[in-house]
Amino acid sequence: MFPLAFTLAALALPAAAHAQAADTAAMAAQAEAMHKLDWMHGKWRGEARMQMPGGKELVVTHTERVGTLLGGTITLIEGKSFGADGKVPFNAFAVVSYDPAAKAFTMASHTGGRSGSFPLIAAERGYAWEVPAGPAARVRYKASFDGTTWTETGDFVADGQPPRPFFRMTLKRVGDTDWPMAGSMTRD
């Protein structure tokens, strides 16, 4: 029995080793596609306004930091808001990736105990994505960059009704960042 198990394990080794080989063509396509989001790289700060339940408006100082990992094949985004009292009412993290076979971007988003993966449409100076929000409804986000200002809006969209705006952020780039590469592990 032992020789048979050893032989089967030895035969499986080349397949397992092959599964670990990098797909350099896919990685090149991913890195190339990610260049559409290059305008986002760095640290950003500005104002965000959100309509809260009951009609109250929350106004915060909002920040974003954006960088890449895995040789530029994924883009990482952290959004963090600060209230006038210094508390953090909003903190989100997202990973944007590109699937060269599907020719499509996906954003895996995490915030407030919720997470999901959503199709993202990337343009040279902007993007759009949607989150399901119940039967026949969704939340639609659209962002644009005019060369100095990153603006993002959010609308609640229910079938048969006009979009209801509930979110707007306006950010200015405040500098470069070495995040997320800073502090990464080294060989030694």
Side-chain angles (χ1 to χ4, degrees):
M1 186 68 164
F2 178 74
L4 177 61
F6 182 76
T7 302
L8 290 174
L11 290 173
L13 184 59
H18 177 71
Q20 298 301 313
D23 183 343
T24 56
M27 292 171 62
Q30 291 165 339
E32 180 62 30
M34 282 296 147
H35 285 303
K36 284 188 173 183
L37 303 178
D38 282 352
W39 63 268
M40 297 173 69
H41 296 183
K43 295 189 277 188
W44 300 78
R45 181 176 292 116
E47 180 182 85
R49 295 177 169 270
M50 296 166 262
Q51 294 298 317
M52 305 304 286
K56 182 181 177 194
E57 183 178 54
L58 175 64
V59 180
V60 296
T61 297
H62 187 73
T63 64
E64 298 274 344
R65 62 179 175 167
V66 181
T68 65
L69 274 179
L70 303 180
T73 62
I74 60 172
T75 297
L76 280 64
I77 305 165
E78 181 192 27
K80 193 173 195 179
S81 295
F82 299 90
D85 59 3
K87 292 182 180 175
V88 177
F90 176 80
N91 194 199
F93 178 76
V95 177
V96 178
S97 61
Y98 180 76
D99 180 344
K103 297 187 182 333
F105 289 88
T106 299
M107 181 168 59
S109 176
H110 307 268
T111 186
R114 295 177 299 279
S115 64
S117 291
F118 310 99
L120 180 125
I121 299 167
E124 290 303 323
R125 290 191 167 211
Y127 57 84
W129 61 291
E130 294 184 349
V131 177
R138 62 201 175 280
V139 173
R140 179 179 56 207
Y141 293 98
K142 289 184 181 179
S144 63
F145 177 61
D146 67 8
T148 57
T149 304
W150 172 358
T151 303
E152 185 167 342
T153 59
D155 295 318
F156 179 80
V157 181
D159 290 352
Q161 298 178 22
R164 293 190 307 248
F166 73 92
F167 172 78
R168 180 177 183 86
M169 78 174 190
T170 308
L171 308 177
K172 300 282 187 189
R173 192 171 190 282
V174 295
D176 294 332
T177 182
D178 56 2
W179 179 83
M181 290 301 296
S184 64
M185 293 298 293
T186 61
R187 185 183 74 157
D188 299 327

